Amino acid sequence: MNTIKEEYKYQVHTSWGSRWVFAASTVSFILIALLLIYRDTLTSIIAIWLRSETFTHGILIFPISGYMIWTRRKELQQIQPKPQPVAIVLICLIAIGWLLAHIAAVQFAQQLLFIALLIGITWGILGSRVVRALTFPLAYLFFAVPIGEALIPPLQDFTAYVSVKGLQMTGVPVYLEGLYITIPSGTFEVAEACSGLRYLISSLALGTLYAYLSYQSYYKRAIFIAFSIIVPIIANGIRAYMIIMIAYLSSMKLATGIDHIIYGWIFFGAVIFFLFWAGSFWRESNIVNSISVDSLINSNTSNSKKQFILTGLLLITAASLGPISAIQLYKQPINTACTVSIPKGSLNWSGPFHPSDVWDPSFPSTEQDTRQVYSLNNEKNKEIQILTIYYPEETQDSELINSQNHLYDGKVWQRVSEENQLVALEGKNFQVRELVMRSTNGYRLVWYWYNISGWQTINLIKAKIFEAWGKLIHPQTHGSILIAVATDIINTVEVEKSKRLLSKFLNENPATTSPRSILACK
């Protein structure tokens, strides 16, 4: 009797192992097919890893996730993989989301949804219990997505604030103007590279991994991850303060060149070491998560294989909806026979004239950009510049809304401050984005907004939604325009006078803010 029972267990175990091999093979082939279908999204991720020091860590994410999955192989052997056809619904929704992100040229959203597709297909083929056992290794893949550049401006502002407070507390005379910190020895700029984003992202990726490996309770993991975010932000401000102090005490002989970057990485390494060392005092014993063993059910292997294959084919078909729909959408003709119509001067304003100064905003691959000057009649040195940047057809890296696009070039002009403003136009509030920038010759006040297929906004998320919606309901879209009006600021005390001048121009030239007046289409 025992011999028969042992033989039965052996047969079921063999069937079970065969099921796992076939399931793993199926998910591997389907994921390879997914990588080929979404190769453009995958290559965009890899390209950013290779060119940006901020996101170089992404190269290690997939190997780390793969290693964590490998370490759980014994636990996985106790689970019977079982396809989940319901995952097809989720894959369809993700594919539609990817399509919308592709239409609006939101690259990071495409990349996030691509990772979600990888996880969703794994769930659909291997089942809920397998994915539940691999929740963290699979979720950790999201760290491979190069995201976070939108945090650079607020991180720059915070770093400048902490640096100035530190200098004031230590008795160093200091003057802060936007991102420029002036001390008796010289002037420092909190550039984008000094924002600390690379420290923050690296700390968060490492801290999340450390929390998972060191703690079992969720609240301890959450607390440590929170500190992995807070500590590098504060530490970067202290780092910037220390660099300025070293330069101040050495009469600008130290920490003003490449050495300040070296000091920064040494300091960051010390901070991370301290963070992990402090976290080790609350480290919990490594308790293996319990996984109940599936019952030994001698299922029909032939039917199981058919189920894996059918589910895999349905999943990859659903995932293909995004790229296939994108190809069909872009086959439709797009009306590019439009030009920006610069309004003529009004009763109180002369122009437009060609500007004589240098102002080259950083908007690559734009097809049409214009800049004209208007002068207020009978008023000396009261001029307004109007700038338009037009993209009749947008593609990835050739788009109006992009984190790399700026109204200042970073060389001649640099950002001082930026915020939202409400302007009263004919009794109604008109929202603009206010930018103050500076050059060696002075300051310039800029008000700007976006016109997306007839909708006006200053919200970047809304602008992207308008782009996607416009292309879906009206493929012959008129494109996207940035409209800006600017005037020079004589001195920082007279900013309000410059604002009143811009407001006067917009009120007396309503065509500037009219969505239908700015474009002339055949």
Side-chain angles (χ1 to χ4, degrees), residues 248-403:
Y248 174 71
L249 296 174
S250 65
S251 300
M252 304 298 285
K253 294 179 181 179
L254 299 175
T256 55
I258 191 65
D259 54 341
H260 89 274
I261 297 177
I262 298 173
Y263 298 157
W265 277 112
I266 294 174
F267 180 74
F268 174 71
V271 168
I272 292 298
F273 174 80
F274 173 78
L275 181 65
F276 289 175
W277 173 76
S280 65
F281 288 98
W282 292 273
R283 188 169 184 171
E284 297 172 337
S285 58
N286 189 18
I287 305 173
V288 179
N289 293 332
S290 59
I291 301 177
S292 58
V293 182
D294 284 334
S295 302
L296 297 178
I297 302 174
N298 190 8
S299 58
N300 189 310
T301 305
S302 178
N303 290 337
S304 297
K305 289 183 178 181
K306 290 180 181 179
Q307 191 177 11
F308 281 121
I309 293 174
L310 179 60
T311 303
L313 291 176
L314 290 174
L315 287 170
I316 198 63
T317 301
S320 303
L321 291 176
I324 291 174
S325 300
I327 293 172
Q328 295 299 320
L329 182 66
Y330 282 102
K331 283 183 178 179
Q332 301 182 49
I334 295 177
N335 181 15
T336 58
C338 297
T339 56
V340 175
S341 177
I342 298 296
K344 296 180 180 180
S346 60
L347 179 64
N348 295 321
W349 296 86
S350 300
F353 310 109
H354 291 293
S356 58
D357 65 331
V358 177
W359 180 18
D360 295 318
S362 177
F363 281 79
S365 303
T366 178
E367 292 195 18
Q368 295 184 39
D369 60 87
T370 58
R371 187 161 65 93
Q372 298 291 329
V373 175
Y374 299 83
S375 61
L376 185 60
N377 295 336
N378 303 320
E379 293 285 348
K380 188 177 180 181
N381 296 327
K382 288 192 176 181
E383 292 184 341
I384 293 292
Q385 293 196 34
I386 181 170
L387 168 73
T388 61
I389 297 173
Y390 177 43
Y391 287 82
E393 181 181 2
E394 296 184 279
T395 58
Q396 190 63 54
D397 297 326
S398 177
E399 54 192 318
L400 183 63
I401 312 297
N402 189 298
S403 60

